[in-house]
């Protein structure tokens, strides 16, 4: 009986030694990173306005510029993002913005139509970045255009 115990003890010791060797070879988990978390990118709209041609009033049938200014805080984004402009929920198109830009202004031409209009802009309209504050990515303004030209937004 003592021989059986000896074999069992030897087998158990061998098992522990081989398990210990396997444990020693496996990498230990990385220690937690202490300190502040890295900053995340935040794209935000700063202003949105409709500007008539130089020296002219905003009237129907005349060219105007929809001017959007944005800024970026945090690290440089890894890829370009989109800036989309719409009038009365009709998209005037999306512009791909260079990802290295920290902030700038984009002007988009628009032929003004008579009446009341909602002009809107959205930065990162494709939702490429998970930002700390997504609420600052969109902006809307209401404008009134005098004159007699009516019709769809162009």
């Amino acid at each position: 009986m003592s021989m059986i115990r000896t074999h069992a003890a030897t087998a158990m010791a061998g098992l522990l030694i081989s398990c210990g060797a396997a444990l020693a070879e496996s990498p230990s988990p990385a220690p937690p990173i202490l300190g502040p978390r890295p900053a995340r990118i935040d794209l935000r709209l700063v202003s949105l306005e409709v500007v008539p041609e130089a020296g002219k009033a905003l009237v129907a049938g005349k060219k105007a510029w929809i001017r959007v200014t944005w800024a970026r805080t945090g690290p440089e984004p890894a890829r370009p993002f989109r800036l989309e402009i719409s009038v009365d929920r009709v998209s005037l198109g999306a512009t791909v913005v260079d990802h290295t830009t920290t902030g700038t202004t984009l002007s988009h031409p628009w032929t003004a139509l008579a009446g009341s209009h909602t002009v809107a802009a959205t930065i990162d309209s494709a939702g490429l970045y998970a930002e700390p504050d997504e609420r600052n990515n969109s902006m809307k303004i209401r404008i009134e255009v005098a004159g007699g030209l009516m019709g769809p937004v162009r």
Side-chain angles (χ1 to χ4, degrees), residues 34-87:
L34 302 176
R37 295 178 69 182
R40 292 186 3 209
I41 185 172
D42 188 30
L43 301 167
R44 70 183 186 287
L45 291 181
V46 176
S47 67
L48 172 62
E49 60 187 335
V50 178
V51 181
E53 285 188 293
K56 299 185 180 179
L58 183 59
V59 294
K62 300 294 181 184
K63 186 183 222 177
W65 296 94
I66 299 172
R67 188 176 298 155
V68 183
T69 303
W70 73 90
R72 169 183 61 81
T73 56
E76 185 175 295
R79 56 196 176 272
F81 49 88
R82 290 172 28 142
L83 174 64
E84 188 163 354
I85 298 172
S86 65
V87 177

Side-chain angles (χ1 to χ4, degrees), residues 20-138:
L23 287 174
E25 292 172 9
S26 65
S28 61
I33 298 173
L34 302 176
R37 295 178 69 182
R40 292 186 3 209
I41 185 172
D42 188 30
L43 301 167
R44 70 183 186 287
L45 291 181
V46 176
S47 67
L48 172 62
E49 60 187 335
V50 178
V51 181
E53 285 188 293
K56 299 185 180 179
L58 183 59
V59 294
K62 300 294 181 184
K63 186 183 222 177
W65 296 94
I66 299 172
R67 188 176 298 155
V68 183
T69 303
W70 73 90
R72 169 183 61 81
T73 56
E76 185 175 295
R79 56 196 176 272
F81 49 88
R82 290 172 28 142
L83 174 64
E84 188 163 354
I85 298 172
S86 65
V87 177
D88 298 329
R89 295 186 175 181
V90 176
S91 176
L92 299 182
T95 300
V96 176
V97 179
D98 180 9
H99 63 287
T100 59
T101 306
T102 57
T104 193
T105 299
L106 174 86
S107 294
H108 191 284
W110 176 61
T111 301
L113 300 172
S116 179
H117 302 284
T118 300
V119 179
T122 303
I123 197 164
D124 190 27
S125 60
L128 294 176
Y129 295 99
E131 302 169 57
D133 185 0
E134 296 282 351
R135 296 170 298 170
N136 62 10
N137 286 16
S138 295

